[in-house]
PDB file of all heavy atoms in Angstrom:
ATOM      1  N   LYS A   3     -17.442  -9.016  22.012  1.00 90.00           N
ATOM      2  CA  LYS A   3     -16.339  -9.579  21.221  1.00 90.00           C
ATOM      3  C   LYS A   3     -15.598  -8.480  20.457  1.00 90.00           C
ATOM      4  O   LYS A   3     -16.176  -7.447  20.113  1.00 90.00           O
ATOM      5  CB  LYS A   3     -16.880 -10.604  20.244  1.00 90.00           C
ATOM      6  CG  LYS A   3     -17.395 -11.852  20.928  1.00 90.00           C
ATOM      7  CD  LYS A   3     -17.769 -12.906  19.908  1.00 90.00           C
ATOM      8  CE  LYS A   3     -18.344 -14.128  20.609  1.00 90.00           C
ATOM      9  NZ  LYS A   3     -18.682 -15.176  19.631  1.00 90.00           N
ATOM     10  N   LEU A   4     -14.330  -8.756  20.172  1.00 90.00           N
ATOM     11  CA  LEU A   4     -13.498  -7.763  19.478  1.00 90.00           C
ATOM     12  C   LEU A   4     -13.743  -7.820  17.976  1.00 90.00           C
ATOM     13  O   LEU A   4     -14.139  -8.854  17.434  1.00 90.00           O
ATOM     14  CB  LEU A   4     -12.021  -8.044  19.753  1.00 90.00           C
ATOM     15  CG  LEU A   4     -11.604  -8.060  21.227  1.00 90.00           C
ATOM     16  CD1 LEU A   4     -10.149  -8.494  21.357  1.00 90.00           C
ATOM     17  CD2 LEU A   4     -11.804  -6.673  21.839  1.00 90.00           C
ATOM     18  N   TYR A   6     -13.069  -8.361  14.259  1.00 90.00           N
ATOM     19  CA  TYR A   6     -12.232  -9.400  13.658  1.00 90.00           C
ATOM     20  C   TYR A   6     -11.498  -8.900  12.420  1.00 90.00           C
ATOM     21  O   TYR A   6     -12.040  -8.122  11.633  1.00 90.00           O
ATOM     22  CB  TYR A   6     -13.109 -10.589  13.272  1.00 90.00           C
ATOM     23  CG  TYR A   6     -12.393 -11.662  12.482  1.00 90.00           C
ATOM     24  CD1 TYR A   6     -11.479 -12.514  13.110  1.00 90.00           C
ATOM     25  CD2 TYR A   6     -12.618 -11.813  11.112  1.00 90.00           C
ATOM     26  CE1 TYR A   6     -10.819 -13.502  12.388  1.00 90.00           C
ATOM     27  CE2 TYR A   6     -11.959 -12.800  10.390  1.00 90.00           C
ATOM     28  CZ  TYR A   6     -11.055 -13.638  11.036  1.00 90.00           C
ATOM     29  OH  TYR A   6     -10.399 -14.598  10.313  1.00 90.00           O
ATOM     30  N   GLU A   7     -10.266  -9.343  12.313  1.00 90.00           N
ATOM     31  CA  GLU A   7      -9.514  -9.129  11.069  1.00 90.00           C
ATOM     32  C   GLU A   7      -8.877 -10.462  10.761  1.00 90.00           C
ATOM     33  O   GLU A   7      -8.434 -11.156  11.670  1.00 90.00           O
ATOM     34  CB  GLU A   7      -8.438  -8.076  11.332  1.00 90.00           C
ATOM     35  CG  GLU A   7      -7.466  -7.911  10.197  1.00 90.00           C
ATOM     36  CD  GLU A   7      -6.395  -6.865  10.535  1.00 90.00           C
ATOM     37  OE1 GLU A   7      -5.480  -7.176  11.313  1.00 90.00           O
ATOM     38  OE2 GLU A   7      -6.502  -5.748  10.018  1.00 90.00           O
ATOM     39  N   ARG A   8      -8.821 -10.862   9.494  1.00 91.00           N
ATOM     40  CA  ARG A   8      -8.275 -12.197   9.259  1.00 91.00           C
ATOM     41  C   ARG A   8      -6.758 -12.191   9.441  1.00 91.00           C
ATOM     42  O   ARG A   8      -6.105 -11.172   9.236  1.00 91.00           O
ATOM     43  CB  ARG A   8      -8.685 -12.718   7.884  1.00 91.00           C
ATOM     44  CG  ARG A   8      -8.122 -11.996   6.731  1.00 91.00           C
ATOM     45  CD  ARG A   8      -8.332 -12.806   5.449  1.00 91.00           C
ATOM     46  NE  ARG A   8      -7.622 -12.133   4.379  1.00 91.00           N
ATOM     47  CZ  ARG A   8      -8.169 -11.216   3.602  1.00 91.00           C
ATOM     48  NH1 ARG A   8      -9.431 -10.894   3.737  1.00 91.00           N
ATOM     49  NH2 ARG A   8      -7.446 -10.631   2.675  1.00 91.00           N
ATOM     50  N   ILE A  10      -2.928 -12.571   8.734  1.00 92.00           N
ATOM     51  CA  ILE A  10      -2.083 -12.580   7.526  1.00 92.00           C
ATOM     52  C   ILE A  10      -0.611 -12.576   7.895  1.00 92.00           C
ATOM     53  O   ILE A  10      -0.213 -12.101   8.959  1.00 92.00           O
ATOM     54  CB  ILE A  10      -2.309 -11.361   6.599  1.00 92.00           C
ATOM     55  CG1 ILE A  10      -2.082 -10.051   7.341  1.00 92.00           C
ATOM     56  CG2 ILE A  10      -3.615 -11.409   5.902  1.00 92.00           C
ATOM     57  CD1 ILE A  10      -1.521  -8.983   6.443  1.00 92.00           C
ATOM     58  N   ILE A  11       0.149 -13.112   6.974  1.00 92.00           N
ATOM     59  CA  ILE A  11       1.602 -13.048   7.079  1.00 92.00           C
ATOM     60  C   ILE A  11       2.117 -12.506   5.759  1.00 92.00           C
ATOM     61  O   ILE A  11       1.595 -12.844   4.701  1.00 92.00           O
ATOM     62  CB  ILE A  11       2.206 -14.429   7.391  1.00 92.00           C
ATOM     63  CG1 ILE A  11       3.737 -14.340   7.366  1.00 92.00           C
ATOM     64  CG2 ILE A  11       1.722 -15.507   6.434  1.00 92.00           C
ATOM     65  CD1 ILE A  11       4.415 -15.506   8.031  1.00 92.00           C
ATOM     66  N   ARG A  12       3.099 -11.665   5.852  1.00 88.00           N
ATOM     67  CA  ARG A  12       3.592 -11.032   4.635  1.00 88.00           C
ATOM     68  C   ARG A  12       5.110 -10.968   4.666  1.00 88.00           C
ATOM     69  O   ARG A  12       5.691 -10.549   5.669  1.00 88.00           O
ATOM     70  CB  ARG A  12       3.007  -9.625   4.594  1.00 88.00           C
ATOM     71  CG  ARG A  12       3.421  -8.851   3.403  1.00 88.00           C
ATOM     72  CD  ARG A  12       2.738  -7.510   3.435  1.00 88.00           C
ATOM     73  NE  ARG A  12       3.235  -6.739   2.309  1.00 88.00           N
ATOM     74  CZ  ARG A  12       2.769  -5.601   1.909  1.00 88.00           C
ATOM     75  NH1 ARG A  12       1.766  -5.046   2.554  1.00 88.00           N
ATOM     76  NH2 ARG A  12       3.279  -4.971   0.886  1.00 88.00           N
ATOM     77  N   ARG A  13       5.720 -11.386   3.573  1.00 87.00           N
ATOM     78  CA  ARG A  13       7.185 -11.317   3.531  1.00 87.00           C
ATOM     79  C   ARG A  13       7.608  -9.882   3.282  1.00 87.00           C
ATOM     80  O   ARG A  13       7.008  -9.179   2.478  1.00 87.00           O
ATOM     81  CB  ARG A  13       7.727 -12.222   2.431  1.00 87.00           C
ATOM     82  CG  ARG A  13       9.260 -12.294   2.517  1.00 87.00           C
ATOM     83  CD  ARG A  13       9.867 -13.327   1.615  1.00 87.00           C
ATOM     84  NE  ARG A  13       9.530 -13.020   0.245  1.00 87.00           N
ATOM     85  CZ  ARG A  13       9.301 -13.942  -0.676  1.00 87.00           C
ATOM     86  NH1 ARG A  13       9.387 -15.216  -0.371  1.00 87.00           N
ATOM     87  NH2 ARG A  13       9.007 -13.598  -1.901  1.00 87.00           N
ATOM     88  N   LEU A  14       8.637  -9.462   4.000  1.00 84.00           N
ATOM     89  CA  LEU A  14       9.164  -8.108   3.783  1.00 84.00           C
ATOM     90  C   LEU A  14      10.188  -8.185   2.669  1.00 84.00           C
ATOM     91  O   LEU A  14      11.183  -8.903   2.779  1.00 84.00           O
ATOM     92  CB  LEU A  14       9.824  -7.595   5.065  1.00 84.00           C
ATOM     93  CG  LEU A  14       8.854  -7.412   6.222  1.00 84.00           C
ATOM     94  CD1 LEU A  14       9.610  -7.149   7.509  1.00 84.00           C
ATOM     95  CD2 LEU A  14       7.886  -6.269   5.927  1.00 84.00           C
ATOM     96  N   ARG A 325      -6.580 -17.955  -2.968  1.00 90.00           N
ATOM     97  CA  ARG A 325      -5.138 -17.893  -3.211  1.00 90.00           C
ATOM     98  C   ARG A 325      -4.858 -18.433  -4.608  1.00 90.00           C
ATOM     99  O   ARG A 325      -5.462 -19.427  -5.021  1.00 90.00           O
ATOM    100  CB  ARG A 325      -4.386 -18.812  -2.254  1.00 90.00           C
ATOM    101  CG  ARG A 325      -4.339 -18.331  -0.850  1.00 90.00           C
ATOM    102  CD  ARG A 325      -3.175 -17.411  -0.622  1.00 90.00           C
ATOM    103  NE  ARG A 325      -3.320 -16.823   0.696  1.00 90.00           N
ATOM    104  CZ  ARG A 325      -2.813 -15.655   1.040  1.00 90.00           C
ATOM    105  NH1 ARG A 325      -2.132 -14.942   0.160  1.00 90.00           N
ATOM    106  NH2 ARG A 325      -3.006 -15.176   2.229  1.00 90.00           N
ATOM    107  N   LYS A 328       0.407 -19.784  -6.747  1.00 86.00           N
ATOM    108  CA  LYS A 328       1.691 -19.272  -6.261  1.00 86.00           C
ATOM    109  C   LYS A 328       1.556 -18.559  -4.921  1.00 86.00           C
ATOM    110  O   LYS A 328       2.480 -17.893  -4.468  1.00 86.00           O
ATOM    111  CB  LYS A 328       2.282 -18.315  -7.292  1.00 86.00           C
ATOM    112  CG  LYS A 328       2.570 -18.971  -8.621  1.00 86.00           C
ATOM    113  CD  LYS A 328       3.674 -18.235  -9.368  1.00 86.00           C
ATOM    114  CE  LYS A 328       4.078 -19.006 -10.607  1.00 86.00           C
ATOM    115  NZ  LYS A 328       2.970 -19.146 -11.582  1.00 86.00           N
ATOM    116  N   GLY A 329       0.384 -18.632  -4.326  1.00 86.00           N
ATOM    117  CA  GLY A 329       0.216 -18.063  -2.994  1.00 86.00           C
ATOM    118  C   GLY A 329      -0.255 -16.624  -2.991  1.00 86.00           C
ATOM    119  O   GLY A 329      -0.341 -15.997  -1.951  1.00 86.00           O
ATOM    120  N   ARG A 331      -2.737 -13.474  -3.122  1.00 92.00           N
ATOM    121  CA  ARG A 331      -4.108 -13.201  -2.739  1.00 92.00           C
ATOM    122  C   ARG A 331      -4.943 -12.830  -3.966  1.00 92.00           C
ATOM    123  O   ARG A 331      -4.535 -11.982  -4.766  1.00 92.00           O
ATOM    124  CB  ARG A 331      -4.118 -12.053  -1.720  1.00 92.00           C
ATOM    125  CG  ARG A 331      -5.441 -11.388  -1.488  1.00 92.00           C
ATOM    126  CD  ARG A 331      -6.473 -12.297  -0.861  1.00 92.00           C
ATOM    127  NE  ARG A 331      -6.070 -12.779   0.442  1.00 92.00           N
ATOM    128  CZ  ARG A 331      -6.487 -13.940   0.973  1.00 92.00           C
ATOM    129  NH1 ARG A 331      -7.307 -14.711   0.293  1.00 92.00           N
ATOM    130  NH2 ARG A 331      -6.072 -14.322   2.166  1.00 92.00           N
ATOM    131  N   TYR A 361      -2.516  -3.360   8.072  1.00 86.00           N
ATOM    132  CA  TYR A 361      -2.032  -4.543   7.369  1.00 86.00           C
ATOM    133  C   TYR A 361      -2.610  -4.624   5.975  1.00 86.00           C
ATOM    134  O   TYR A 361      -3.779  -4.327   5.765  1.00 86.00           O
ATOM    135  CB  TYR A 361      -2.346  -5.804   8.177  1.00 86.00           C
ATOM    136  CG  TYR A 361      -1.631  -5.767   9.498  1.00 86.00           C
ATOM    137  CD1 TYR A 361      -2.278  -5.271  10.622  1.00 86.00           C
ATOM    138  CD2 TYR A 361      -0.302  -6.129   9.582  1.00 86.00           C
ATOM    139  CE1 TYR A 361      -1.610  -5.161  11.825  1.00 86.00           C
ATOM    140  CE2 TYR A 361       0.380  -6.022  10.785  1.00 86.00           C
ATOM    141  CZ  TYR A 361      -0.276  -5.533  11.914  1.00 86.00           C
ATOM    142  OH  TYR A 361       0.395  -5.415  13.086  1.00 86.00           O
TER     143      TYR A 361
ATOM    144  N   GLU B  22      15.013 -14.455   5.442  1.00 89.00           N
ATOM    145  CA  GLU B  22      13.761 -13.751   5.143  1.00 89.00           C
ATOM    146  C   GLU B  22      13.078 -13.245   6.415  1.00 89.00           C
ATOM    147  O   GLU B  22      13.118 -13.918   7.447  1.00 89.00           O
ATOM    148  CB  GLU B  22      12.779 -14.695   4.441  1.00 89.00           C
ATOM    149  CG  GLU B  22      13.181 -15.066   3.039  1.00 89.00           C
ATOM    150  CD  GLU B  22      12.278 -16.162   2.498  1.00 89.00           C
ATOM    151  OE1 GLU B  22      12.071 -17.168   3.189  1.00 89.00           O
ATOM    152  OE2 GLU B  22      11.800 -15.984   1.374  1.00 89.00           O
ATOM    153  N   SER B  23      12.458 -12.069   6.292  1.00 91.00           N
ATOM    154  CA  SER B  23      11.675 -11.538   7.406  1.00 91.00           C
ATOM    155  C   SER B  23      10.209 -11.462   6.999  1.00 91.00           C
ATOM    156  O   SER B  23       9.900 -11.299   5.826  1.00 91.00           O
ATOM    157  CB  SER B  23      12.120 -10.122   7.756  1.00 91.00           C
ATOM    158  OG  SER B  23      13.491 -10.090   7.954  1.00 91.00           O
ATOM    159  N   PHE B  24       9.363 -11.550   7.982  1.00 91.00           N
ATOM    160  CA  PHE B  24       7.918 -11.502   7.730  1.00 91.00           C
ATOM    161  C   PHE B  24       7.249 -10.635   8.778  1.00 91.00           C
ATOM    162  O   PHE B  24       7.736 -10.534   9.909  1.00 91.00           O
ATOM    163  CB  PHE B  24       7.318 -12.917   7.832  1.00 91.00           C
ATOM    164  CG  PHE B  24       7.952 -13.896   6.893  1.00 91.00           C
ATOM    165  CD1 PHE B  24       9.108 -14.585   7.255  1.00 91.00           C
ATOM    166  CD2 PHE B  24       7.413 -14.125   5.639  1.00 91.00           C
ATOM    167  CE1 PHE B  24       9.704 -15.484   6.388  1.00 91.00           C
ATOM    168  CE2 PHE B  24       7.999 -15.028   4.763  1.00 91.00           C
ATOM    169  CZ  PHE B  24       9.150 -15.711   5.133  1.00 91.00           C
ATOM    170  N   THR B  25       6.127 -10.022   8.394  1.00 90.00           N
ATOM    171  CA  THR B  25       5.298  -9.388   9.419  1.00 90.00           C
ATOM    172  C   THR B  25       3.991 -10.148   9.499  1.00 90.00           C
ATOM    173  O   THR B  25       3.489 -10.670   8.501  1.00 90.00           O
ATOM    174  CB  THR B  25       4.943  -7.922   9.112  1.00 90.00           C
ATOM    175  OG1 THR B  25       4.345  -7.869   7.829  1.00 90.00           O
ATOM    176  CG2 THR B  25       6.149  -7.028   9.183  1.00 90.00           C
ATOM    177  N   ASN B  27       0.022  -9.866  11.387  1.00 93.00           N
ATOM    178  CA  ASN B  27      -0.836  -8.935  12.126  1.00 93.00           C
ATOM    179  C   ASN B  27      -1.153  -9.498  13.520  1.00 93.00           C
ATOM    180  O   ASN B  27      -0.845 -10.666  13.800  1.00 93.00           O
ATOM    181  CB  ASN B  27      -2.086  -8.573  11.305  1.00 93.00           C
ATOM    182  CG  ASN B  27      -2.933  -9.769  10.949  1.00 93.00           C
ATOM    183  OD1 ASN B  27      -2.520 -10.902  11.141  1.00 93.00           O
ATOM    184  ND2 ASN B  27      -4.121  -9.518  10.436  1.00 93.00           N
ATOM    185  N   PRO B  28      -1.727  -8.680  14.402  1.00 93.00           N
ATOM    186  CA  PRO B  28      -1.888  -9.113  15.794  1.00 93.00           C
ATOM    187  C   PRO B  28      -2.640 -10.437  15.950  1.00 93.00           C
ATOM    188  O   PRO B  28      -2.219 -11.298  16.727  1.00 93.00           O
ATOM    189  CB  PRO B  28      -2.664  -7.963  16.431  1.00 93.00           C
ATOM    190  CG  PRO B  28      -2.271  -6.765  15.630  1.00 93.00           C
ATOM    191  CD  PRO B  28      -2.100  -7.258  14.234  1.00 93.00           C
ATOM    192  N   ILE B  29      -3.710 -10.618  15.201  1.00 95.00           N
ATOM    193  CA  ILE B  29      -4.462 -11.872  15.372  1.00 95.00           C
ATOM    194  C   ILE B  29      -3.611 -13.045  14.884  1.00 95.00           C
ATOM    195  O   ILE B  29      -3.625 -14.130  15.463  1.00 95.00           O
ATOM    196  CB  ILE B  29      -5.844 -11.805  14.670  1.00 95.00           C
ATOM    197  CG1 ILE B  29      -6.712 -12.983  15.095  1.00 95.00           C
ATOM    198  CG2 ILE B  29      -5.709 -11.767  13.167  1.00 95.00           C
ATOM    199  CD1 ILE B  29      -8.173 -12.837  14.710  1.00 95.00           C
ATOM    200  N   CYS B  51     -13.055 -17.663  17.916  1.00 96.00           N
ATOM    201  CA  CYS B  51     -14.477 -17.342  17.721  1.00 96.00           C
ATOM    202  C   CYS B  51     -15.125 -16.846  19.019  1.00 96.00           C
ATOM    203  O   CYS B  51     -16.106 -16.115  18.978  1.00 96.00           O
ATOM    204  CB  CYS B  51     -15.237 -18.535  17.149  1.00 96.00           C
ATOM    205  SG  CYS B  51     -14.762 -18.877  15.448  1.00 96.00           S
ATOM    206  N   LYS B  53     -13.498 -14.983  21.139  1.00 95.00           N
ATOM    207  CA  LYS B  53     -12.934 -13.671  21.446  1.00 95.00           C
ATOM    208  C   LYS B  53     -13.325 -12.610  20.403  1.00 95.00           C
ATOM    209  O   LYS B  53     -13.489 -11.443  20.740  1.00 95.00           O
ATOM    210  CB  LYS B  53     -11.412 -13.819  21.506  1.00 95.00           C
ATOM    211  CG  LYS B  53     -10.687 -12.548  21.884  1.00 95.00           C
ATOM    212  CD  LYS B  53      -9.231 -12.841  22.239  1.00 95.00           C
ATOM    213  CE  LYS B  53      -8.465 -11.550  22.418  1.00 95.00           C
ATOM    214  NZ  LYS B  53      -7.018 -11.783  22.531  1.00 95.00           N
ATOM    215  N   TYR B  54     -13.465 -13.021  19.133  1.00 95.00           N
ATOM    216  CA  TYR B  54     -13.695 -12.041  18.056  1.00 95.00           C
ATOM    217  C   TYR B  54     -15.063 -12.207  17.403  1.00 95.00           C
ATOM    218  O   TYR B  54     -15.663 -13.284  17.469  1.00 95.00           O
ATOM    219  CB  TYR B  54     -12.608 -12.180  16.981  1.00 95.00           C
ATOM    220  CG  TYR B  54     -11.232 -11.795  17.460  1.00 95.00           C
ATOM    221  CD1 TYR B  54     -10.356 -12.775  17.941  1.00 95.00           C
ATOM    222  CD2 TYR B  54     -10.798 -10.469  17.422  1.00 95.00           C
ATOM    223  CE1 TYR B  54      -9.087 -12.438  18.385  1.00 95.00           C
ATOM    224  CE2 TYR B  54      -9.530 -10.122  17.863  1.00 95.00           C
ATOM    225  CZ  TYR B  54      -8.670 -11.105  18.346  1.00 95.00           C
ATOM    226  OH  TYR B  54      -7.417 -10.767  18.778  1.00 95.00           O
ATOM    227  N   GLN B  55     -15.475 -11.153  16.731  1.00 93.00           N
ATOM    228  CA  GLN B  55     -16.760 -11.173  16.015  1.00 93.00           C
ATOM    229  C   GLN B  55     -16.588 -11.905  14.682  1.00 93.00           C
ATOM    230  O   GLN B  55     -16.472 -11.279  13.628  1.00 93.00           O
ATOM    231  CB  GLN B  55     -17.227  -9.746  15.701  1.00 93.00           C
ATOM    232  CG  GLN B  55     -17.512  -8.900  16.919  1.00 93.00           C
ATOM    233  CD  GLN B  55     -17.566  -7.431  16.574  1.00 93.00           C
ATOM    234  OE1 GLN B  55     -17.432  -7.029  15.431  1.00 93.00           O
ATOM    235  NE2 GLN B  55     -17.746  -6.603  17.593  1.00 93.00           N
ATOM    236  N   PHE B  61     -13.827 -18.186   9.928  1.00 94.00           N
ATOM    237  CA  PHE B  61     -12.496 -18.274  10.527  1.00 94.00           C
ATOM    238  C   PHE B  61     -11.790 -19.562  10.118  1.00 94.00           C
ATOM    239  O   PHE B  61     -10.586 -19.583   9.881  1.00 94.00           O
ATOM    240  CB  PHE B  61     -12.557 -18.148  12.055  1.00 94.00           C
ATOM    241  CG  PHE B  61     -11.194 -18.229  12.644  1.00 94.00           C
ATOM    242  CD1 PHE B  61     -10.250 -17.232  12.371  1.00 94.00           C
ATOM    243  CD2 PHE B  61     -10.797 -19.333  13.399  1.00 94.00           C
ATOM    244  CE1 PHE B  61      -8.956 -17.324  12.864  1.00 94.00           C
ATOM    245  CE2 PHE B  61      -9.499 -19.422  13.892  1.00 94.00           C
ATOM    246  CZ  PHE B  61      -8.580 -18.424  13.628  1.00 94.00           C
ATOM    247  N   ASP B  64     -10.226 -18.817   6.928  1.00 93.00           N
ATOM    248  CA  ASP B  64      -9.091 -17.896   7.066  1.00 93.00           C
ATOM    249  C   ASP B  64      -7.893 -18.581   7.729  1.00 93.00           C
ATOM    250  O   ASP B  64      -6.743 -18.316   7.398  1.00 93.00           O
ATOM    251  CB  ASP B  64      -9.503 -16.657   7.877  1.00 93.00           C
ATOM    252  CG  ASP B  64     -10.459 -15.752   7.103  1.00 93.00           C
ATOM    253  OD1 ASP B  64     -10.594 -15.959   5.876  1.00 93.00           O
ATOM    254  OD2 ASP B  64     -11.066 -14.848   7.713  1.00 93.00           O
ATOM    255  N   ASP B  67      -6.200 -20.722   5.252  1.00 93.00           N
ATOM    256  CA  ASP B  67      -5.436 -19.859   4.372  1.00 93.00           C
ATOM    257  C   ASP B  67      -4.126 -19.433   5.055  1.00 93.00           C
ATOM    258  O   ASP B  67      -3.046 -19.479   4.467  1.00 93.00           O
ATOM    259  CB  ASP B  67      -6.278 -18.624   4.028  1.00 93.00           C
ATOM    260  CG  ASP B  67      -5.558 -17.696   3.086  1.00 93.00           C
ATOM    261  OD1 ASP B  67      -5.478 -18.045   1.897  1.00 93.00           O
ATOM    262  OD2 ASP B  67      -5.071 -16.641   3.530  1.00 93.00           O
ATOM    263  N   MET B  71      -0.231 -20.325   4.113  1.00 93.00           N
ATOM    264  CA  MET B  71       0.825 -19.355   3.809  1.00 93.00           C
ATOM    265  C   MET B  71       2.079 -19.633   4.644  1.00 93.00           C
ATOM    266  O   MET B  71       3.191 -19.399   4.196  1.00 93.00           O
ATOM    267  CB  MET B  71       0.335 -17.918   4.034  1.00 93.00           C
ATOM    268  CG  MET B  71      -0.709 -17.454   3.018  1.00 93.00           C
ATOM    269  SD  MET B  71      -0.276 -17.813   1.302  1.00 93.00           S
ATOM    270  CE  MET B  71       0.968 -16.549   1.002  1.00 93.00           C
ATOM    271  N   HIS B  74       3.642 -22.204   2.716  1.00 91.00           N
ATOM    272  CA  HIS B  74       4.159 -21.603   1.481  1.00 91.00           C
ATOM    273  C   HIS B  74       5.521 -20.939   1.733  1.00 91.00           C
ATOM    274  O   HIS B  74       6.408 -21.005   0.900  1.00 91.00           O
ATOM    275  CB  HIS B  74       3.128 -20.583   0.986  1.00 91.00           C
ATOM    276  CG  HIS B  74       3.527 -19.844  -0.237  1.00 91.00           C
ATOM    277  ND1 HIS B  74       3.426 -20.406  -1.493  1.00 91.00           N
ATOM    278  CD2 HIS B  74       4.028 -18.604  -0.412  1.00 91.00           C
ATOM    279  CE1 HIS B  74       3.850 -19.525  -2.393  1.00 91.00           C
ATOM    280  NE2 HIS B  74       4.219 -18.420  -1.765  1.00 91.00           N
TER     281      HIS B  74
END
Side-chain angles (χ1 to χ4, degrees):
Chain A
K3 291 187 183 181
L4 303 174
Y6 173 73
E7 171 181 76
R8 67 167 187 269
I10 57 147
I11 175 164
R12 180 177 176 171
R13 188 171 60 215
L14 295 170
R325 288 273 171 206
K328 298 206 172 62
R331 164 65 61 207
Y361 297 94
Chain B
E22 290 171 311
S23 308
F24 303 86
T25 54
N27 60 350
I29 192 167
C51 291
K53 183 167 172 190
Y54 293 95
Q55 297 163 2
F61 180 65
D64 290 347
D67 181 75
M71 290 313 284
H74 178 79

